[in-house]
Amino acid sequence: MKKVIITALILSFLQIHAQKGFKPLFDGKTTKGWHSYGKNSAGAGWKVEDGVLYFDPDAAANGQGGDLVTDAEFGDFHLKLDWKTAPNGNSGIIFYVNEDPSKYQNTYSTGLEMQVLDNDGHPDGKITKHRAGDLYDLIQSKSEPVKKVGEWNTAEVISKKGKLTLILNGVIVVETVLWDANFNKLIEGSKFAGWPGFGTFKKGKIALQDHGNKVWFRNIMIKE
């Protein structure tokens, strides 16, 4: 019994140490610090229960959904969160979002996206660069360490001095340099070619996507 207790204490210490420098973006109880894109508060489709933030498409009817964005903007950052989807689910973690609805209708009009997806159940799973962990429509993941539908995945987005790293379940799946000539070529070869402002902002908000499917998030934290 003593050995079990000591092991649990060591694991707890390591977890706390690993999170050093991070601050929560989600308090586990409310949507404080977040709002639906272009609005002043979170739509009714975004709910909180038992420390989990989730999107309920049924409650999002009549314009009560929309992508959820942070009140704050971030430049260099390390974002970490857990996600899971319902079968056939689709969502995304979008960052460097410039919230100016008069110019940009959606979060993805400007922001880059780490894909959240049921690879086997959703049609996007058949499209290269649209699978879980991909830098959506720009860079395919090096590997696919995504877990079964309904299980929690841990995603990390690290952006530092122009270098972007995407990590899924502890595995580096995408590495690239932002805002250089090669990155501009990636955009030119994607569905975002010709979109004014897409992928150009070096500071912006973080968004969780309403794609009309059930999706859950927890342990959302960031280190600047």
Side-chain angles (χ1 to χ4, degrees), residues 1 22 29 43 45 48 110 117-118 128 166 184 194 197-198 215 217:
M1 178 63 74
F22 283 84
K29 299 176 182 179
V48 178
T110 55
L117 195 77
D118 170 5
T128 303
L166 303 184
N184 291 337
F198 176 80
V215 63
F217 299 95

Side-chain angles (χ1 to χ4, degrees), residues 37 67 69 94 96-98 105-112 207 209:
Y37 184 78
D67 291 2
V69 300
I94 305 174
Y96 290 128
V97 174
N98 184 273
Q105 187 175 359
N106 301 292
T107 58
Y108 55 82
S109 298
T110 55
L112 305 170
Q209 190 178 41

Side-chain angles (χ1 to χ4, degrees), residues 114 142-145 154 156 166-174:
M114 183 179 187
K142 297 177 182 179
S143 62
E144 294 189 347
T154 297
E156 297 176 66
L166 303 184
I167 301 173
L168 185 60
N169 296 321
V171 179
I172 295 175
V173 291
V174 171

Side-chain angles (χ1 to χ4, degrees), residues 29 45 55 57 103 167 202-203:
K29 299 176 182 179
F55 182 73
K103 288 184 179 179
I167 301 173
K202 299 181 180 180
K203 186 175 184 180

